[in-house]
Amino acid sequence: MIGLRREAALLHISLFCPTCRREYDLEAGVFRCPGSRPREEHPLRRVLSPGIAAADGLRASWAGGARRTFAVLRHTISAFHLLGADPYDRLLDGITARLLPFEGRDFMVTPLTEAPELASALGRTGCLWVKDETANVTGSHKGRHLMATLLYLEVLRRRHGSGARKILAIYSCGNAAVGASAVARAGGYELHAFVPAEVDPAILTMLRDRGAVVETIRRATTGEGDPCYCAFREAVTERGWIPFACAGNENWSNLEGGATLGWELVMQLRAEARTIDSVVIQVGGGALARAIAQAFEEALELGLLAALPRVHACQPEGGFPFVRAYHLVLREIARRHRLAFDLSYDRTADPQGQLTELAAFILGGAGQIGEVAAFARRNFDAPSVQAVLQELLHHPERFMWPWDGLPPRSLAHGILDDVTYDWYYLLEALVRTGGRAVVVREETIRQAHAAARQHTGIPVCPTGASGLAGLIELSSAGVIAPSESVGLFFTGFDRADACCYEGQPCDSSILLSD
C-alpha cells in the first residue's frame, strides 16, 4: 500500500483559477473559486503535474482487463490521489454495493464501435466511431459526472472528520437530475432537484422513486437566465447546500467524472492502434464537451495521445448561446489582427434580429470563419490571441449572456440551456484545435436521430444523437472532409422505446434528455 500511495503522489493535482491566477489545494474542499467576483468568469480547473507513474498506472490498469470505469481509470480521479489505493477501493466498492441493487448496473466502460453503415449513409469514407452511453447508469453520461463528485465529497467528509452529510442541489429537467438522484441515493445523501414546472410527469416519478426532493420552478421570460439555475444558486449561497450539478462553474469535480468518457475513448483507440481527426459534441451547459476536451489535453500531457483531435461543438437553432460566443470571439480575434470578418452584432438591438443575422452569417460566411479559425489555431500561444482569451474572463458579458431570443425549443431539448456554463475552457479548446461551433437545424436533428437508430441500432434519444446532426452540418459546410476519421458520443437512452430502461411500459411521447 505504501508503494501505491507513493505512486499516486507522483501525479500532483491542484485546482487553478485562470482569472485569479491562483492554485488551490484539493483538500480545501472548494467547488468554485473562492475569489469569484461578479461580472467575471472564475472557472476552476484541475491541473496535473504528471509523473511517469501516472501514465504507467493507466496503461497497466487498462491492460489488466478490468472495465469498471472508476476502478480502471482511478489514476484520473482526485479521490484516489487523496486517499491512496486501498481506502479508495473500499470507498468505491461500498458505493457500488449500494448502487447495484437500486439501478441494476455499475459504471462500466461503454462500447466504442465503428459505424460503417452509418458512415456510408452519410457519404463518408473515413472511419466513424460512436461511443455508446445509452446503457450506462440511468441511461446517460450524467451519472458518471456526479460519481466523481460523490467520491470527492466522501473523501472530504472522512479527511475532515465530519460525520454529517450536507444536502445536495441540482438544476435540470431530465437526465442530469435522474443521474444525480441515483448517485446521491447510493451515497446516502439528500438531493433537492430544481426542475421546470412543465417537467414531464415521468421524470418526476423517476426522481421521487430515487428519493429526490423535487422543487418545481416556473419560467417568466428569456434573457434573465434559467429560473431553475437561479433557484439552485440561491440554495447553494443562502442555505449552504452542495452544488451537485453537471456544471464546472459551480462544481469542478463533476468534470473529472465526465472526463472518464474522453479517457475511455483515448484508451479504446490506443488498444486498436487507431486515431481520430475530429470529434463533434452536442453542447447545452457545456460540461460534457469541456470534460471530453480536458481528457484529450491531459492524455496529451501524459504522453498517451500523440495529437489533439479537432473539437467541434453544435447547438440547435432553438437556442445557441455557445455558438454565438464562439463567433463573437472569432470576430474579436479578426478585429485585432485586421482580418476580414463581416459579422456585426449589437447586443442593444432587437435580440431576435441579431440572432437571425448571426445564423445567416454562419451559413454565408464560411470562408471568413474558416480563415480566422485557422489563424487562431496557428497562433494560439501568441500573446495577441491569449489576450482575447483573457478578455473572456474579465469581460464575459461581451461574449456570453443568457439566451434572449424566443423561448428555446428543440427536439433536442436536453441541450437548450440558457447559458453554456462551461463555455470558457470549451471555447479555448475549439480555438486551440481549430474546431468550429455550428447551429443545427431541426430538420437535421430529426434526420440524424432517424439515421442513428436505423444504421447503428443504438436506442439513442434525439438529444443524445445531436452530435451526429452537427457532423452532418459541418460536413455539408466542408469543415469536416468525408475522408476524416470522426468520433461521436451517443449520450442518452431514448425512453420512447417500448423496452423502457426502467422495465416499465413507456408513453411514446416521452423523450427524456438533459
Side-chain angles (χ1 to χ4, degrees), residues 322-397:
F322 180 78
V323 177
R324 173 173 58 189
Y326 168 80
H327 287 92
L328 291 177
V329 168
L330 289 191
R331 182 181 70 165
E332 183 61 20
I333 292 173
R335 184 187 69 80
R336 296 193 183 198
H337 296 89
R338 299 183 180 180
L339 303 173
F341 204 77
D342 299 326
L343 171 63
S344 175
Y345 201 103
D346 182 359
R347 188 175 173 184
T348 65
D350 170 56
Q352 194 56 42
Q354 295 299 298
L355 289 165
T356 300
E357 289 185 21
L358 171 59
F361 172 76
I362 294 171
L363 286 175
Q368 290 183 348
I369 295 169
E371 288 177 10
V372 177
F375 173 87
R377 180 184 188 181
R378 292 193 306 270
N379 296 279
F380 178 78
D381 293 319
S384 56
V385 173
Q386 287 297 310
V388 175
L389 296 177
Q390 281 297 307
E391 187 172 339
L392 307 188
L393 298 168
H394 296 287
H395 300 285
E397 75 284 352

Side-chain angles (χ1 to χ4, degrees), residues 122 124 279-282 312-316 415 436-441 444-445 448 465-477 479-480 486 488:
L122 300 178
R124 303 197 57 78
V279 293
V280 185
I281 312 171
Q282 55 272 26
H312 306 278
C314 63
Q315 291 188 301
I415 49 174
R436 301 277 278 275
V438 65
V439 176
V440 289
R441 295 165 294 170
T444 309
I445 292 171
S466 51
L468 175 59
L471 173 60
I472 293 171
E473 297 282 8
L474 288 163
S475 299
S476 177
V479 175
I480 297 179
V486 179
L488 299 174

Side-chain angles (χ1 to χ4, degrees), residues 450-500:
R453 298 296 301 267
Q454 178 181 350
H455 297 297
T456 70
I458 296 173
V460 64
C461 69
T463 294
S466 51
L468 175 59
L471 173 60
I472 293 171
E473 297 282 8
L474 288 163
S475 299
S476 177
V479 175
I480 297 179
S483 59
E484 282 190 59
S485 174
V486 179
L488 299 174
F489 300 85
F490 285 3
T491 55
F493 180 85
D494 193 338
R495 298 171 196 274
D497 281 3
C499 50
C500 180

